[in-house]
Coordinates of all heavy atoms in Angstrom, one line a residue:
M2 N 0.8 -1.2 0.0 CA 0.0 0.0 0.0 C 0.9 1.2 0.0 O 1.9 1.3 0.8 CB -0.9 0.0 1.2 CG -1.6 1.3 1.5 SD -2.7 1.3 3.0 CE -1.5 1.3 4.3
I3 N 0.6 2.2 -0.8 CA 1.3 3.5 -0.9 C 0.9 4.3 0.3 O -0.3 4.6 0.5 CB 1.1 4.2 -2.2 CG1 1.7 3.4 -3.3 CG2 1.7 5.6 -2.1 CD1 1.6 4.0 -4.7
V4 N 1.8 4.7 1.1 CA 1.6 5.6 2.3 C 1.8 7.0 2.0 O 1.0 7.9 2.3 CB 2.5 5.1 3.5 CG1 2.3 6.0 4.7 CG2 2.2 3.7 3.9
C5 N 2.9 7.3 1.3 CA 3.2 8.7 0.9 C 3.2 8.8 -0.6 O 4.1 8.3 -1.3 CB 4.5 9.1 1.4 SG 5.1 10.8 0.9
H6 N 2.1 9.5 -1.2 CA 2.0 9.6 -2.6 C 3.0 10.6 -3.2 O 3.5 10.4 -4.3 CB 0.6 10.0 -3.0 CG -0.4 9.0 -2.8 ND1 -0.6 8.0 -3.6 CD2 -1.3 8.8 -1.7 CE1 -1.6 7.2 -3.2 NE2 -2.0 7.6 -2.0
C7 N 3.4 11.6 -2.5 CA 4.4 12.6 -3.0 C 5.7 12.0 -3.2 O 6.4 12.3 -4.2 CB 4.5 13.7 -1.9 SG 3.0 14.7 -1.6
Q8 N 6.1 11.1 -2.3 CA 7.5 10.4 -2.5 C 7.4 9.0 -2.9 O 8.4 8.3 -2.9 CB 8.2 10.6 -1.1 CG 8.5 12.0 -0.7 CD 9.4 12.7 -1.7 OE1 10.3 12.1 -2.4 NE2 9.3 14.0 -1.8
N9 N 6.2 8.5 -3.1 CA 6.0 7.1 -3.5 C 6.6 6.1 -2.5 O 7.4 5.2 -2.9 CB 6.5 6.9 -5.0 CG 5.9 5.6 -5.6 OD1 4.9 5.2 -5.2 ND2 6.7 5.0 -6.5
I10 N 6.2 6.2 -1.3 CA 6.7 5.4 -0.2 C 5.6 4.4 0.2 O 4.5 4.8 0.5 CB 7.2 6.2 1.0 CG1 8.3 7.1 0.6 CG2 7.6 5.3 2.2 CD1 8.8 8.0 1.7
T11 N 5.9 3.1 0.2 CA 5.0 2.1 0.6 C 5.1 1.7 2.0 O 6.2 2.0 2.7 CB 5.1 0.8 -0.3 OG1 6.4 0.2 0.0 CG2 5.0 1.2 -1.8
N12 N 4.2 0.9 2.6 CA 4.3 0.4 3.9 C 5.5 -0.6 4.0 O 6.2 -0.6 5.0 CB 3.0 -0.2 4.4 CG 2.6 -1.4 3.5 OD1 2.8 -1.4 2.3 ND2 1.9 -2.4 4.1
Q13 N 5.8 -1.3 2.9 CA 6.9 -2.2 3.0 C 8.2 -1.4 3.0 O 9.2 -1.8 3.7 CB 7.0 -3.1 1.7 CG 5.9 -4.1 1.7 CD 4.6 -3.6 0.9 OE1 4.6 -2.5 0.5 NE2 3.6 -4.5 0.9
D14 N 8.3 -0.3 2.3 CA 9.5 0.6 2.4 C 9.7 1.1 3.8 O 10.9 1.1 4.3 CB 9.3 1.8 1.5 CG 9.3 1.5 0.0 OD1 9.8 0.5 -0.4 OD2 8.6 2.3 -0.7
I15 N 8.7 1.5 4.5 CA 8.8 1.9 5.9 C 9.3 0.8 6.8 O 10.2 1.0 7.6 CB 7.4 2.5 6.4 CG1 7.1 3.8 5.6 CG2 7.5 2.8 7.9 CD1 5.7 4.3 5.8
D16 N 8.7 -0.4 6.7 CA 9.1 -1.5 7.5 C 10.6 -1.9 7.3 O 11.3 -2.1 8.2 CB 8.2 -2.7 7.2 CG 6.8 -2.6 7.8 OD1 6.7 -1.9 8.8 OD2 5.9 -3.3 7.3
V17 N 11.0 -1.9 6.0 CA 12.4 -2.2 5.7 C 13.3 -1.2 6.3 O 14.4 -1.6 6.9 CB 12.6 -2.3 4.2 CG1 14.1 -2.4 3.8 CG2 11.9 -3.6 3.6
A18 N 13.0 0.1 6.2 CA 13.8 1.1 6.8 C 13.9 1.0 8.3 O 15.0 1.1 8.9 CB 13.3 2.5 6.4
I19 N 12.8 0.7 9.0 CA 12.8 0.6 10.4 C 13.6 -0.6 10.8 O 14.4 -0.6 11.7 CB 11.4 0.5 11.0 CG1 10.7 1.8 10.8 CG2 11.4 0.0 12.4 CD1 9.2 1.8 11.2
D20 N 13.4 -1.7 10.2 CA 14.2 -3.0 10.5 C 15.7 -2.7 10.3 O 16.5 -3.2 11.1 CB 13.7 -4.1 9.6 CG 12.3 -4.5 9.9 OD1 11.7 -4.2 11.0 OD2 11.6 -5.2 9.1
W21 N 16.0 -2.0 9.2 CA 17.4 -1.8 8.9 C 18.1 -0.9 10.0 O 19.2 -1.1 10.5 CB 17.6 -1.1 7.5 CG 18.9 -0.7 7.2 CD1 20.0 -1.4 6.8 CD2 19.4 0.7 7.3 NE1 21.1 -0.7 6.6 CE2 20.8 0.6 6.9 CE3 18.8 1.9 7.6 CZ2 21.6 1.8 6.9 CZ3 19.6 3.0 7.6 CH2 21.0 3.0 7.2
M22 N 17.3 0.2 10.4 CA 17.9 1.1 11.4 C 18.0 0.4 12.7 O 19.0 0.6 13.4 CB 16.9 2.3 11.6 CG 17.1 3.3 10.5 SD 16.2 4.8 10.8 CE 14.6 4.3 10.3
R23 N 17.1 -0.5 13.1 CA 17.1 -1.2 14.4 C 18.3 -2.2 14.3 O 19.0 -2.4 15.3 CB 15.8 -1.9 14.7 CG 15.8 -2.6 16.0 CD 16.0 -1.7 17.2 NE 14.9 -0.8 17.4 CZ 15.0 0.5 17.8 NH1 16.2 1.0 18.1 NH2 14.0 1.3 17.9
A24 N 18.5 -2.9 13.2 CA 19.6 -3.8 13.1 C 21.0 -3.1 13.2 O 21.9 -3.6 13.7 CB 19.5 -4.6 11.8
A25 N 21.0 -1.9 12.6 CA 22.3 -1.1 12.6 C 22.6 -0.5 14.0 O 23.8 -0.5 14.4 CB 22.2 0.0 11.6
D26 N 21.6 -0.1 14.7 CA 21.8 0.4 16.1 C 20.6 0.2 16.9 O 19.5 0.8 16.8 CB 22.0 1.9 15.9 CG 22.3 2.6 17.3 OD1 22.4 1.9 18.3 OD2 22.5 3.8 17.3
E27 N 20.7 -0.8 17.8 CA 19.5 -1.2 18.6 C 19.1 -0.2 19.6 O 18.1 -0.3 20.3 CB 19.7 -2.6 19.2 CG 20.9 -2.7 20.1 CD 21.1 -4.2 20.5 OE1 21.0 -5.0 19.6 OE2 21.5 -4.4 21.6
T28 N 19.9 0.9 19.8 CA 19.6 1.9 20.8 C 19.0 3.2 20.2 O 18.8 4.2 20.9 CB 20.8 2.3 21.7 OG1 21.8 2.8 20.9 CG2 21.3 1.0 22.4
T29 N 18.9 3.3 18.9 CA 18.5 4.5 18.2 C 17.0 4.7 18.4 O 16.2 3.8 18.5 CB 18.8 4.5 16.7 OG1 18.7 5.8 16.2 CG2 18.0 3.5 16.0
L30 N 16.6 6.0 18.5 CA 15.3 6.4 18.5 C 14.8 6.7 17.1 O 15.4 7.5 16.4 CB 15.1 7.7 19.4 CG 13.7 8.1 19.7 CD1 12.9 7.0 20.5 CD2 13.7 9.4 20.5
I31 N 13.9 5.9 16.6 CA 13.4 6.0 15.2 C 12.3 7.0 15.1 O 11.3 6.8 15.7 CB 13.0 4.6 14.7 CG1 14.2 3.6 14.8 CG2 12.5 4.7 13.2 CD1 13.9 2.2 14.5
T32 N 12.5 7.9 14.2 CA 11.5 9.0 14.0 C 11.1 9.0 12.5 O 11.8 8.4 11.7 CB 12.1 10.4 14.3 OG1 13.1 10.6 13.4 CG2 12.6 10.4 15.7
P33 N 10.0 9.6 12.2 CA 9.6 9.7 10.7 C 10.7 10.3 9.9 O 10.9 9.9 8.8 CB 8.3 10.5 10.8 CG 7.7 10.3 12.1 CD 8.9 10.2 13.0
G34 N 11.3 11.4 10.4 CA 12.4 12.0 9.6 C 13.5 11.1 9.3 O 14.1 11.1 8.2
K35 N 13.8 10.2 10.3 CA 14.9 9.3 10.1 C 14.5 8.2 9.0 O 15.3 7.7 8.3 CB 15.3 8.6 11.4 CG 16.1 9.5 12.3 CD 16.5 8.7 13.5 CE 17.3 9.6 14.5 NZ 17.8 8.8 15.7
V36 N 13.2 7.8 9.0 CA 12.8 6.9 8.1 C 12.9 7.5 6.7 O 13.4 6.8 5.7 CB 11.3 6.4 8.4 CG1 10.8 5.6 7.2 CG2 11.3 5.6 9.7
Y37 N 12.4 8.7 6.5 CA 12.5 9.4 5.2 C 14.0 9.4 4.8 O 14.3 9.1 3.6 CB 12.0 10.8 5.3 CG 10.5 10.9 5.0 CD1 9.6 11.0 6.0 CD2 10.0 10.9 3.7 CE1 8.2 11.2 5.8 CE2 8.7 11.0 3.4 CZ 7.8 11.1 4.4 OH 6.4 11.2 4.2
R38 N 14.9 9.8 5.7 CA 16.3 9.9 5.3 C 16.9 8.6 4.9 O 17.7 8.5 4.0 CB 17.1 10.6 6.4 CG 16.9 12.1 6.5 CD 17.8 12.8 7.4 NE 17.6 12.5 8.8 CZ 16.7 13.0 9.6 NH1 15.9 13.9 9.1 NH2 16.6 12.7 10.8
A39 N 16.5 7.5 5.7 CA 17.0 6.2 5.4 C 16.5 5.8 4.0 O 17.2 5.0 3.3 CB 16.5 5.2 6.4
L40 N 15.4 6.3 3.5 CA 14.9 5.9 2.2 C 15.4 6.9 1.1 O 15.1 6.8 0.0 CB 13.3 6.0 2.2 CG 12.7 4.9 3.1 CD1 11.2 5.2 3.2 CD2 13.0 3.5 2.5
G41 N 16.2 7.9 1.5 CA 16.8 8.8 0.6 C 15.8 9.9 0.1 O 15.9 10.4 -1.0
K42 N 14.8 10.1 0.9 CA 13.7 11.0 0.5 C 13.4 12.0 1.7 O 14.0 11.9 2.7 CB 12.4 10.2 0.2 CG 12.7 9.2 -0.9 CD 11.5 8.4 -1.2 CE 11.9 7.4 -2.3 NZ 10.7 7.0 -3.1
S43 N 12.6 13.0 1.4 CA 12.2 14.0 2.4 C 10.7 14.2 2.3 O 10.1 14.1 1.2 CB 13.0 15.3 2.2 OG 12.7 15.9 1.0
P44 N 10.0 14.5 3.4 CA 8.6 14.8 3.4 C 8.3 16.0 2.6 O 9.1 16.9 2.5 CB 8.2 15.0 4.9 CG 9.5 15.3 5.6 CD 10.6 14.7 4.8
D45 N 7.1 16.0 1.9 CA 6.8 17.1 1.0 C 5.6 17.9 1.6 O 5.8 18.9 2.2 CB 6.4 16.5 -0.4 CG 6.3 17.6 -1.4 OD1 6.7 18.8 -1.1 OD2 5.8 17.3 -2.5
C46 N 4.4 17.3 1.5 CA 3.2 18.1 2.0 C 2.8 17.8 3.4 O 2.1 18.6 4.0 CB 2.0 17.9 1.0 SG 1.3 16.3 1.1
G47 N 3.1 16.6 3.9 CA 2.8 16.2 5.3 C 1.4 15.6 5.4 O 0.9 15.3 6.5
G48 N 0.7 15.5 4.3 CA -0.7 15.0 4.3 C -0.7 13.5 4.7 O -1.8 13.0 5.2
C49 N 0.4 12.8 4.6 CA 0.4 11.4 4.9 C 0.9 11.1 6.3 O 0.9 9.9 6.7 CB 1.4 10.7 3.9 SG 3.1 11.2 4.1
M50 N 1.2 12.1 7.1 CA 1.8 11.9 8.3 C 1.1 11.0 9.3 O 1.7 10.1 9.9 CB 2.2 13.2 9.0 CG 3.3 13.1 10.1 SD 4.8 12.2 9.6 CE 5.4 13.1 8.2
S51 N -0.2 11.1 9.4 CA -1.0 10.2 10.3 C -0.9 8.8 9.8 O -0.7 7.9 10.6 CB -2.4 10.7 10.4 OG -3.1 10.6 9.2
L52 N -1.0 8.5 8.5 CA -0.9 7.2 8.0 C 0.5 6.7 8.1 O 0.8 5.5 8.4 CB -1.4 7.2 6.5 CG -1.4 5.8 5.8 CD1 -2.2 4.8 6.5 CD2 -1.8 6.0 4.4
F53 N 1.5 7.6 7.9 CA 2.9 7.2 8.0 C 3.2 6.8 9.4 O 3.8 5.7 9.6 CB 3.8 8.4 7.6 CG 5.2 8.2 7.3 CD1 5.6 8.0 6.0 CD2 6.1 8.0 8.3 CE1 6.9 7.8 5.6 CE2 7.4 7.8 8.0 CZ 7.8 7.6 6.6
L54 N 2.7 7.5 10.4 CA 3.0 7.2 11.8 C 2.2 5.9 12.2 O 2.8 5.1 12.9 CB 2.5 8.3 12.7 CG 3.4 9.5 12.7 CD1 2.7 10.7 13.5 CD2 4.7 9.2 13.4
G55 N 1.0 5.7 11.7 CA 0.3 4.5 12.0 C 1.0 3.3 11.4 O 1.0 2.2 12.1
T56 N 1.6 3.4 10.2 CA 2.3 2.3 9.6 C 3.6 2.0 10.5 O 3.9 0.9 10.7 CB 2.7 2.7 8.2 OG1 1.5 3.0 7.4 CG2 3.5 1.5 7.5
M57 N 4.3 3.1 10.9 CA 5.5 2.9 11.7 C 5.1 2.2 13.0 O 5.9 1.3 13.4 CB 6.1 4.3 12.1 CG 6.8 4.9 10.9 SD 7.5 6.5 11.4 CE 8.7 6.0 12.6
R58 N 4.0 2.5 13.7 CA 3.6 2.0 15.0 C 3.3 0.5 14.9 O 3.4 -0.2 15.9 CB 2.4 2.7 15.5 CG 2.8 4.1 16.0 CD 1.6 4.7 16.6 NE 1.9 6.1 17.0 CZ 1.3 7.2 16.6 NH1 0.3 7.1 15.8 NH2 1.7 8.4 17.0
K59 N 3.0 0.0 13.7 CA 2.7 -1.4 13.5 C 4.0 -2.3 13.5 O 3.9 -3.5 13.6 CB 1.9 -1.7 12.2 CG 0.5 -1.1 12.3 CD -0.2 -1.3 10.9 CE -1.6 -0.6 11.0 NZ -2.2 -0.7 9.7
N60 N 5.1 -1.7 13.3 CA 6.4 -2.4 13.2 C 6.9 -2.7 14.6 O 7.1 -1.8 15.4 CB 7.4 -1.6 12.4 CG 8.6 -2.4 12.1 OD1 9.3 -2.9 13.0 ND2 9.0 -2.5 10.9
D61 N 7.2 -4.0 14.9 CA 7.7 -4.4 16.2 C 9.0 -3.8 16.6 O 9.3 -3.7 17.8 CB 7.7 -5.9 16.3 CG 6.4 -6.6 16.3 OD1 5.4 -5.9 16.7 OD2 6.3 -7.7 15.9
N62 N 9.8 -3.5 15.6 CA 11.1 -2.9 15.8 C 11.1 -1.4 16.2 O 12.2 -0.8 16.4 CB 12.1 -3.1 14.6 CG 12.6 -4.6 14.6 OD1 12.8 -5.2 15.6 ND2 12.7 -5.1 13.4
L63 N 10.0 -0.8 16.2 CA 9.9 0.6 16.5 C 10.0 0.9 18.0 O 10.2 2.0 18.4 CB 8.6 1.2 16.0 CG 8.4 2.7 16.1 CD1 9.4 3.4 15.2 CD2 7.0 3.1 15.8
E64 N 9.9 -0.2 18.8 CA 9.9 0.0 20.3 C 11.1 0.9 20.7 O 12.2 0.8 20.2 CB 10.1 -1.4 20.8 CG 9.9 -1.5 22.3 CD 10.0 -3.0 22.8 OE1 9.0 -3.7 22.5 OE2 11.0 -3.4 23.4
V65 N 10.8 1.7 21.7 CA 11.8 2.6 22.3 C 12.8 1.8 23.1 O 12.4 1.0 23.9 CB 11.1 3.7 23.2 CG1 12.1 4.6 23.9 CG2 10.1 4.5 22.4
P66 N 14.1 2.0 22.9 CA 15.1 1.3 23.6 C 14.9 1.5 25.1 O 14.5 2.5 25.6 CB 16.4 1.9 23.1 CG 16.1 2.5 21.8 CD 14.6 2.9 21.9
M67 N 15.3 0.4 25.9 CA 15.1 0.4 27.3 C 15.8 1.6 28.0 O 15.3 2.2 28.9 CB 15.6 -0.9 28.0 CG 14.7 -2.1 27.6 SD 13.0 -1.9 28.2 CE 13.3 -2.0 30.0
N68 N 17.0 2.0 27.5 CA 17.8 3.1 28.2 C 17.1 4.4 27.9 O 17.5 5.4 28.6 CB 19.2 3.0 27.7 CG 19.4 3.3 26.2 OD1 18.5 2.9 25.4 ND2 20.5 3.9 25.8
L69 N 16.2 4.5 27.0 CA 15.5 5.8 26.8 C 14.1 5.9 27.3 O 13.5 6.9 27.3 CB 15.5 6.1 25.3 CG 16.8 6.2 24.6 CD1 16.6 6.4 23.1 CD2 17.7 7.3 25.1
R70 N 13.6 4.8 27.9 CA 12.2 4.8 28.3 C 11.8 5.7 29.5 O 10.7 6.1 29.6 CB 11.8 3.3 28.6 CG 11.6 2.5 27.4 CD 11.1 1.2 27.7 NE 11.1 0.4 26.4 CZ 10.6 -0.8 26.3 NH1 10.0 -1.3 27.4 NH2 10.6 -1.4 25.2
R71 N 12.7 5.9 30.4 CA 12.4 6.6 31.6 C 12.9 8.1 31.5 O 12.9 8.8 32.5 CB 13.0 5.9 32.8 CG 12.5 4.5 33.0 CD 13.0 3.9 34.2 NE 14.4 4.0 34.4 CZ 15.1 3.4 35.3 NH1 14.6 2.6 36.1 NH2 16.4 3.6 35.4
L72 N 13.1 8.6 30.4 CA 13.6 10.0 30.3 C 12.6 11.0 30.7 O 12.9 12.0 31.3 CB 14.1 10.3 28.9 CG 15.4 9.6 28.4 CD1 15.8 9.9 27.0 CD2 16.5 9.9 29.4
R73 N 11.3 10.8 30.4 CA 10.3 11.7 30.8 C 10.2 11.9 32.3 O 9.8 12.9 32.8 CB 8.9 11.3 30.2 CG 8.7 11.7 28.8 CD 7.3 11.6 28.5 NE 7.1 12.1 27.1 CZ 6.1 11.8 26.3 NH1 5.1 11.1 26.8 NH2 6.0 12.3 25.1
A74 N 10.4 10.8 33.0 CA 10.3 10.9 34.4 C 11.5 11.6 35.1 O 11.6 11.7 36.3 CB 10.1 9.5 35.0
G75 N 12.5 11.9 34.2 CA 13.7 12.6 34.7 C 14.7 11.6 35.3 O 15.6 12.0 36.0
E76 N 14.5 10.3 35.1 CA 15.4 9.3 35.6 C 16.5 9.0 34.6 O 16.4 7.9 34.0 CB 14.6 8.1 35.9 CG 13.5 8.3 37.0 CD 12.7 7.0 37.2 OE1 13.2 5.9 37.0 OE2 11.6 7.2 37.7
T77 N 17.4 9.9 34.4 CA 18.5 9.6 33.6 C 19.7 9.1 34.4 O 19.7 9.2 35.6 CB 18.9 10.9 32.8 OG1 19.3 11.9 33.7 CG2 17.8 11.4 31.9
E78 N 20.7 8.6 33.7 CA 21.9 8.1 34.4 C 22.6 9.3 35.1 O 23.2 9.1 36.2 CB 22.8 7.5 33.4 CG 22.3 6.2 32.9 CD 23.3 5.5 31.9 OE1 24.5 5.9 31.9 OE2 22.8 4.6 31.2
E79 N 22.5 10.5 34.6 CA 23.1 11.7 35.2 C 22.5 12.0 36.6 O 23.1 12.5 37.5 CB 23.0 12.9 34.3 CG 23.9 12.8 33.1 CD 23.2 12.0 32.0 OE1 21.9 11.9 32.0 OE2 23.9 11.4 31.1
N80 N 21.1 11.7 36.7 CA 20.4 12.0 37.9 C 20.6 11.0 39.0 O 20.2 11.2 40.2 CB 18.9 12.2 37.6 CG 18.7 13.4 36.8 OD1 19.5 14.3 36.6 ND2 17.5 13.5 36.2
Q81 N 21.0 9.8 38.6 CA 21.1 8.7 39.6 C 22.4 8.8 40.4 O 23.4 9.3 39.8 CB 21.0 7.4 38.9 CG 19.7 7.1 38.3 CD 19.7 5.8 37.4 OE1 20.7 5.2 37.3 NE2 18.5 5.5 36.9
A82 N 22.4 8.5 41.6 CA 23.6 8.6 42.4 C 24.7 7.6 41.9 O 24.4 6.5 41.5 CB 23.3 8.2 43.9
C83 N 25.9 8.0 42.0 CA 27.0 7.2 41.5 C 27.3 6.2 42.6 O 27.5 6.5 43.8 CB 28.2 8.1 41.3 SG 29.7 7.1 40.8
K84 N 27.3 4.9 42.2 CA 27.5 3.9 43.2 C 29.0 3.9 43.8 O 29.2 3.7 44.9 CB 27.3 2.5 42.6 CG 25.8 2.3 42.3 CD 25.6 1.0 41.6 CE 24.1 0.9 41.2 NZ 23.9 -0.4 40.4
A85 N 29.9 4.3 42.9 CA 31.3 4.4 43.4 C 31.5 5.5 44.4 O 32.1 5.4 45.4 CB 32.2 4.6 42.2
T86 N 30.8 6.6 44.2 CA 30.9 7.8 45.1 C 30.2 7.4 46.5 O 30.7 7.7 47.5 CB 30.2 9.0 44.5 OG1 30.8 9.3 43.3 CG2 30.4 10.2 45.4
A87 N 29.1 6.7 46.4 CA 28.4 6.3 47.6 C 29.2 5.4 48.5 O 29.3 5.5 49.7 CB 27.1 5.7 47.3
K88 N 29.9 4.5 47.8 CA 30.8 3.5 48.6 C 32.0 4.2 49.2 O 32.4 4.0 50.3 CB 31.3 2.4 47.6 CG 30.2 1.4 47.3 CD 30.7 0.4 46.4 CE 29.6 -0.6 45.9 NZ 30.0 -1.6 45.0
S89 N 32.6 5.2 48.4 CA 33.8 5.8 48.9 C 33.5 6.8 50.0 O 34.4 7.1 50.9 CB 34.6 6.5 47.8 OG 33.7 7.5 47.3
S90 N 32.3 7.3 50.1 CA 31.9 8.3 51.2 C 31.7 7.6 52.5 O 31.7 8.2 53.5 CB 30.7 9.1 50.8 OG 29.6 8.2 50.7
N91 N 31.6 6.2 52.5 CA 31.4 5.5 53.7 C 32.7 5.2 54.4 O 32.7 4.6 55.4 CB 30.6 4.2 53.4 CG 29.2 4.5 53.0 OD1 28.7 5.5 53.3 ND2 28.6 3.5 52.2
I92 N 33.8 5.5 53.8 CA 35.1 5.1 54.3 C 35.6 6.0 55.4 O 35.3 7.1 55.6 CB 36.2 5.1 53.2 CG1 35.8 4.1 52.1 CG2 37.6 4.9 53.7 CD1 36.7 4.0 51.0

């Protein structure tokens, strides 16, 4: 099925691009812009974006990497206490 008529992108093209990006880097955050770039194209009118996103969401490889899942809650590695510092302060 053609998802983007302006750039002639099919649902299979989107799936292949997502699978390729996930295989290349399992920690990457996959966005529509990255999918377009992986296909060597760029969005034109934006009329397909809801269908484009819906097609992306159906791909199992779109899952957000575990190390990026808690960023909204402010739980980044920088905010967590350093275990080495905690041990050395007990000396």
Side-chain angles (χ1 to χ4, degrees):
M2 168 179 75
I3 294 180
V4 175
C5 177
H6 290 279
C7 297
Q8 297 295 332
N9 197 28
I10 297 174
T11 66
N12 59 327
Q13 291 93 358
D14 294 333
I15 294 170
D16 284 338
V17 168
I19 291 172
D20 294 342
W21 174 77
M22 284 188 279
R23 183 60 67 217
D26 182 1
E27 56 189 42
T28 64
T29 192
L30 188 59
I31 299 173
T32 64
K35 286 183 180 181
V36 172
Y37 271 101
R38 284 190 293 279
L40 296 171
K42 302 181 181 203
S43 61
D45 191 13
C46 73
C49 66
M50 199 49 61
S51 62
L52 183 57
F53 198 96
L54 288 168
T56 304
M57 286 179 64
R58 287 182 184 123
K59 291 178 185 175
N60 189 304
D61 293 334
N62 283 324
L63 187 65
E64 189 172 288
V65 176
M67 290 300 291
N68 62 329
L69 299 177
R70 287 188 184 183
R71 299 186 313 188
L72 290 179
R73 275 198 179 159
E76 298 178 24
T77 62
E78 290 179 17
E79 293 82 23
N80 294 344
Q81 295 174 354
C83 177
K84 293 178 183 175
T86 305
K88 288 180 183 177
S89 63
S90 64
N91 294 334
I92 298 177

